[in-house]
Amino acid sequence: MTTTRSRSKQSTDGPVPPKPARRPRGWGRATPYLLIVPAVLLELLIHIVPMLVGIWMSFVQLTQFFIANWSQAPYAGLGNYRVALNFSGPLGQSLLHSFEITAAYTVIVVGLAWVFGMSAALVLQRSFRGRGILRTLFLVPYALPIYAGIMTWSFMYQRDNGLLNHVLHDDLHLTDGTTFWLVGNNAFIAMTVAALWRSWPFAFLMLMAGMQNISEEVYDAASVDGAGIWKQIRFITLPSLRPVNGVLVLMLFLWTFNDFNTPFVLFGQTPPPSADLVSIHIYDNSFVNWNFGFGSAMSVLLLLFLLVCTGVYLLLLNRRSRRA
Amino acid sequence: MKLRLIPAALTVLAVSATAACGSGGSSSSGSGSASSGSGSASASAAAGRGSGATLTYWASNQAATIQDDQKVLGTEMAKFKKQTGINVNVQVIGWPDLLNKILGATTSGQGPDVLNIGNTWAASLQATGAFMPFDAAALQAIGGKDKFVQTAFKTGGAPGKDPTSVPLYGLVYGLYYNKKMFADAGLKPPTTWEQLQTDAKKLTDPSKGTYGMAMEGGSYTESVHFAFIFGQQHGADPFNAQGKPQFTTPGMVAGVKQYVDLMSNKVVNPSSVQYKNGPEAPGDFAKGKAAMLMSQNNADNTLQADGMKSDAYGVVPIPAMTGNKDIASFVAGINISIFKNTKNKAAALKLVKFMTSPAEQAILDKPFTALPVVKNGTVNYTTNKAEAAAFADILATKAVPLPLIPAESAYETNVGNAVNQLLAQAATGNKVSDSDIKAALQAAQDKMASAG
């Protein structure tokens, strides 16, 4: 506001510019906005409006009695939020449990995906015979459709005729008795492994791309100065990858924390308690229990949590990179 | 300046042109389909002198595969069109998706004209207000309520209100047993639960991969059905007269224990806690990996698709413990409803009348292995007379309806999932005590209470 006013003031105070030049300038200023108008409209339609509707839903009692006529749903105020955040109540307790499971899942999957991706990218940084084949091979899980990949895992995890039990029990005799992988506490391990398999190639791809930008000369200079491989990684590779890492970890975090497909395909609508991730927990409460108001309240809480995490993370990252 | 603007302006033009193209294309295709729709409608009106409407009908998956359903209903709908001139667009929807799709339609108001529902959802769906109540006039239009078997008709909605669904296919639970396995072991089909347990133990041999009982232990609907049936045998109702849940009464706990004990006593293959899609447990039974199967009568389809002949199995009522109530099933089945937002109410009523007419029922019961829901119907889907008599007897004398209250659907999911977790606990070798069961049921009840 103030800038445009001061500018217009300037233009009236200053020498009058030649007339023909003015119009194109106005158009020129409008062009970028015009160009993004379609994108903004679609974004509003596809993302923002449903999000606002979701936020509205979280403040009403949208249960089975009102889903056919939303406008009559009684206003619930913060009631849905109170139930969700009352951790001594049964629903709050199960939300907290689901949140803890999701946090553990995210830390393990993101951490290991980064370690695997980084290791593979480092190994494949220097060219050698067969590098192309290995790169392609490593990217296969990422190229496969998610559902097809995870369904294959669910077949391997079957107790009686699954590949995993066949190898562990029948061939290697490591386990006594056949193990359940999709039931009980093992379900968490099963889900984590499948998710890790799916997400590490993405870390690998991003880090590999990042490494292409590091000049060979820097490494050469470092090795002339007597830096070993570990020192090179620590003082050249990792610092150069900082911007890539910043984005990569954030994306992996958001994807993994929001993960719905992995538990849904492995376990169906209601996963065992040890694999009850937040997204599917919310889905359960909305669709299986027909309580969309409560489901929306939990979704809004999840949204707020992820926003805060992202904000704090970006703030820390910027501060650190500025300091560096 | 000018030069730089030209490409920008061109881009804007191009974008707006493609947008216009898109909208123009879609609107023209829309009008195209509309005109073709009206074209076919007018043609059919001319041919059949009917209302000329096109109905959308969501059918549930009753035959062995969705394709089979589509085939059966396609033939019948052609017949319906000949009689009335009304086109019906049949969409068969698998069970895992049906309730979600109905909820989606309810929420958006964009749904089919006519649809099938699981009859246990009737009261819950009635509460949404998205379904047309069958008032006296509507019942008259479909041939009067007296044409239905009364136990089945009662499942149409909450008592005291106009029902929002009418029965279409009747189903009940029975105990299937493998005749040869029983004969080889010198056993007769059990008449008490204690007998069933000893028989099951005798017929179990894990080293050969055979078990006394097949179970769909990952399915919350199966689990809640048995929790209800066995609870009823112990004289326990899940809801009190005011409709408040009372899941932790001794009878309810004993009912759940009766079911979970099958797993604890190791007469069921532990792997069956992973079964949740429908055909797995009947599959085990058909392949001789299990000697008994507790299932609704439409299991016949899966058994025969898996190669088991109908004379290879017998059916008796699921027995109760000595001294308990002789209840062997609830009144299961499929009901048919009309979506309130339909623009073709008259045509929709005609379709419901057609589907529930005695002549059509006699035809549809065969491929869908259903029990008749109209009076004077006979069980005609099987040539196995003993089986037909057993199921007819269960429906007539040993079946009670599930609670007809709006919270029924929440009861199914919460209690069903709780029982599933108990089964999983038993399957992984952990003992399930009475207090475990009580705690799980208490948690389910608390969840329902605080969900409001």
Side-chain angles (χ1 to χ4, degrees):
Chain A
M1 261 301 208
T2 49
T3 51
T4 49
R5 203 175 284 164
S6 65
R7 255 187 219 164
S8 61
K9 222 178 182 183
Q10 264 181 4
S11 64
T12 47
D13 288 354
V16 183
K19 258 194 173 174
R22 263 188 94 169
R23 270 189 84 177
R25 193 198 263 171
W27 271 104
R29 230 182 265 158
T31 311
Y33 298 104
L34 283 177
L35 283 173
I36 59 166
V37 160
V40 169
L41 285 180
L42 284 175
E43 176 68 19
L44 274 175
L45 195 71
I46 294 167
H47 278 131
I48 310 290
V49 172
M51 216 150 86
L52 293 177
V53 173
I55 293 174
W56 169 76
M57 274 163 67
S58 70
F59 290 105
V60 293
Q61 281 175 8
L62 199 58
T63 56
Q64 66 186 111
F65 301 101
F66 303 103
I67 50 173
N69 195 349
W70 296 22
S71 54
Q72 280 180 5
Y75 183 67
L78 292 173
N80 288 325
Y81 290 95
R82 226 171 280 140
V83 174
L85 292 175
N86 174 13
F87 296 135
S88 51
L91 291 171
Q93 215 171 27
S94 63
L95 178 65
L96 183 67
H97 170 256
S98 164
F99 178 83
E100 288 165 358
I101 294 280
T102 314
Y105 171 74
T106 309
V107 168
I108 297 174
V109 171
V110 174
L112 288 181
W114 187 85
V115 170
F116 284 18
M118 190 70 194
S119 318
L122 281 173
V123 169
L124 298 189
Q125 194 180 8
R126 301 286 165 90
S127 85
F128 57 90
R129 268 183 92 154
R131 182 168 78 151
I133 295 172
L134 276 179
R135 272 184 181 171
T136 319
L137 201 67
F138 286 170
L139 286 177
V140 164
Y142 190 61
L144 273 180
I146 297 179
Y147 271 53
I150 302 176
M151 273 162 92
T152 312
W153 277 102
S154 87
F155 289 135
M156 294 202 291
Y157 285 138
Q158 291 300 317
R159 177 172 181 263
D160 281 351
N161 39 25
L163 179 80
L164 191 61
N165 271 344
H166 186 72
V167 171
L168 289 182
H169 178 67
D170 302 346
D171 293 344
L172 300 175
H173 307 288
L174 288 177
T175 51
D176 47 325
T178 40
T179 318
F180 277 106
W181 292 105
L182 295 173
V183 172
N185 288 335
N186 285 344
F188 181 79
I189 303 172
M191 176 176 72
T192 309
V193 169
L196 183 59
W197 169 84
R198 194 165 61 80
S199 24
W200 85 265
F202 178 71
F204 165 65
L205 188 69
M206 292 278 282
L207 292 168
M208 191 172 67
M211 284 180 193
Q212 308 294 311
N213 285 334
I214 308 173
S215 162
E216 277 290 317
E217 291 163 15
V218 188
Y219 287 108
D220 291 343
S223 63
V224 169
D225 288 344
I229 187 84
W230 291 111
K231 282 209 164 152
Q232 287 183 17
I233 290 173
R234 200 177 144 200
F235 293 109
I236 301 173
T237 315
L238 285 178
S240 314
L241 286 178
R242 178 169 284 161
V244 176
N245 272 329
V247 178
L248 174 67
V249 170
L250 183 64
M251 283 170 88
L252 281 178
F253 164 74
L254 290 176
W255 285 346
T256 314
F257 208 93
N258 270 326
D259 194 5
F260 179 84
N261 292 322
T262 313
F264 187 75
V265 178
L266 280 181
F267 312 109
Q269 280 191 347
T270 36
S274 72
D276 190 21
L277 294 189
V278 152
S279 318
I280 200 160
H281 185 82
I282 293 172
Y283 169 83
D284 260 6
N285 274 283
S286 312
F287 277 89
V288 181
N289 288 331
W290 302 19
N291 194 340
F292 293 88
F294 181 58
S296 301
M298 290 196 288
S299 297
V300 172
L301 288 174
L302 175 64
L303 176 77
L304 287 178
F305 172 75
L306 292 179
L307 272 181
V308 169
C309 281
T310 311
V312 169
Y313 177 80
L314 288 179
L315 212 69
L316 287 176
L317 204 71
N318 279 345
R319 201 175 285 165
R320 268 181 60 183
S321 60
R322 233 177 271 151
R323 217 181 285 154
Chain B
M1 210 46 140
K2 250 183 192 172
L3 275 177
R4 220 196 296 161
L5 260 182
I6 291 170
L10 279 177
T11 323
V12 171
L13 267 179
V15 167
S16 59
T18 47
C21 246
S23 68
S26 69
S27 72
S28 72
S29 74
S31 65
S33 72
S35 71
S36 75
S38 64
S40 67
S42 64
S44 69
R49 290 196 169 197
S51 57
T54 297
L55 294 175
T56 305
Y57 173 36
W58 284 359
S60 50
N61 174 206
Q62 300 304 126
T65 67
I66 286 180
Q67 287 75 20
D68 293 347
D69 280 286
Q70 202 84 46
K71 221 159 112 193
V72 171
L73 290 172
T75 318
E76 298 314 304
M77 289 309 116
K79 205 191 283 172
F80 178 65
K81 191 186 166 186
K82 230 179 194 174
Q83 289 177 12
T84 60
I86 300 166
N87 278 311
V88 181
N89 172 15
V90 181
Q91 295 171 16
V92 182
I93 295 160
W95 281 105
D97 304 321
L98 187 60
L99 188 55
N100 271 0
K101 280 204 79 160
I102 295 176
L103 283 181
T106 305
T107 315
S108 64
Q110 305 285 315
D113 300 286
V114 179
L115 70 163
N116 286 4
I117 62 170
N119 71 358
T120 61
W121 308 333
S124 301
L125 288 173
Q126 181 179 40
T128 67
F131 290 72
M132 189 201 83
F134 284 86
D135 54 14
L139 285 173
Q140 204 55 44
I142 60 166
K145 70 173 184 179
D146 292 334
K147 77 171 178 178
F148 295 105
V149 172
Q150 284 311 297
T151 45
F153 183 75
K154 276 186 192 151
T155 63
K161 287 187 183 163
D162 285 335
T164 49
S165 64
V166 293
L168 180 63
Y169 309 125
L171 298 166
V172 284
Y173 274 94
L175 176 70
Y176 287 77
Y177 65 93
N178 183 317
K179 281 182 182 166
K180 186 170 180 301
M181 287 170 85
F182 267 70
D184 288 352
L187 295 170
K188 280 197 177 128
T191 53
T192 66
W193 188 257
E194 290 85 352
Q195 278 177 19
L196 181 143
Q197 282 179 309
T198 40
D199 293 356
K201 226 167 232 165
K202 240 182 222 171
L203 292 160
T204 298
D205 185 354
S207 66
K208 285 187 193 149
T210 55
Y211 291 86
M213 180 70 80
M215 182 188 278
E216 200 181 331
S219 153
Y220 77 86
T221 44
E222 288 287 300
S223 288
V224 74
H225 291 166
F226 289 116
F228 175 76
I229 294 169
F230 295 135
Q232 287 281 312
Q233 292 185 349
H234 288 273
D237 279 317
F239 294 91
N240 65 14
Q242 286 76 42
K244 289 263 169 291
Q246 42 175 11
F247 301 159
T248 54
T249 56
M252 288 289 293
V253 174
V256 172
K257 186 172 170 24
Q258 192 171 335
Y259 187 51
V260 175
D261 270 353
L262 289 170
M263 185 62 82
S264 305
N265 294 341
K266 300 185 170 39
V267 297
V268 173
N269 183 351
S271 294
S272 35
V273 290
Q274 295 177 174
Y275 295 172
K276 58 178 79 166
N277 296 321
E280 298 106 326
D284 277 2
F285 177 74
K287 287 169 198 137
K289 289 182 188 167
M292 288 181 274
L293 166 73
M294 296 187 290
S295 175
Q296 294 181 16
N297 49 294
N298 56 351
D300 277 38
N301 268 333
T302 319
L303 296 181
Q304 278 153 31
D306 278 333
M308 191 177 203
K309 295 241 163 58
S310 94
D311 56 3
Y313 54 83
V315 176
V316 292
I318 296 172
M321 280 180 191
T322 322
N324 277 353
K325 275 202 217 166
D326 195 12
I327 287 167
S329 179
F330 66 94
V331 185
I334 310 304
N335 286 5
I336 189 165
S337 283
I338 295 177
F339 207 60
K340 204 179 185 177
N341 286 359
T342 177
K343 293 192 181 77
N344 305 304
K345 195 177 151 190
L349 283 168
K350 273 185 193 164
L351 178 61
V352 173
K353 184 181 184 184
F354 174 80
M355 292 293 286
T356 56
S357 65
E360 260 331 280
Q361 285 278 306
I363 295 171
L364 291 169
D365 281 354
K366 252 184 203 173
F368 295 157
T369 54
L371 304 172
V373 293
V374 288
K375 281 179 184 160
N376 304 322
T378 49
V379 180
N380 66 3
Y381 67 83
T382 172
T383 49
N384 185 334
K385 284 215 178 89
E387 183 197 348
F391 276 124
D393 175 52
I394 294 168
L395 180 60
T397 64
K398 295 185 173 65
V400 287
L402 268 169
L404 293 161
I405 56 168
E408 201 282 336
S409 165
Y411 158 65
E412 283 197 22
T413 48
N414 283 308
V415 172
N417 283 319
V419 176
N420 279 2
Q421 294 311 326
L422 292 167
L423 286 173
Q425 192 182 331
T428 46
N430 300 308
K431 226 175 126 33
V432 180
S433 67
D434 281 12
S435 58
D436 289 342
I437 295 175
K438 197 168 177 185
L441 290 173
Q442 184 70 51
Q445 181 169 326
D446 291 347
K447 269 189 198 171
M448 269 183 71
S450 51

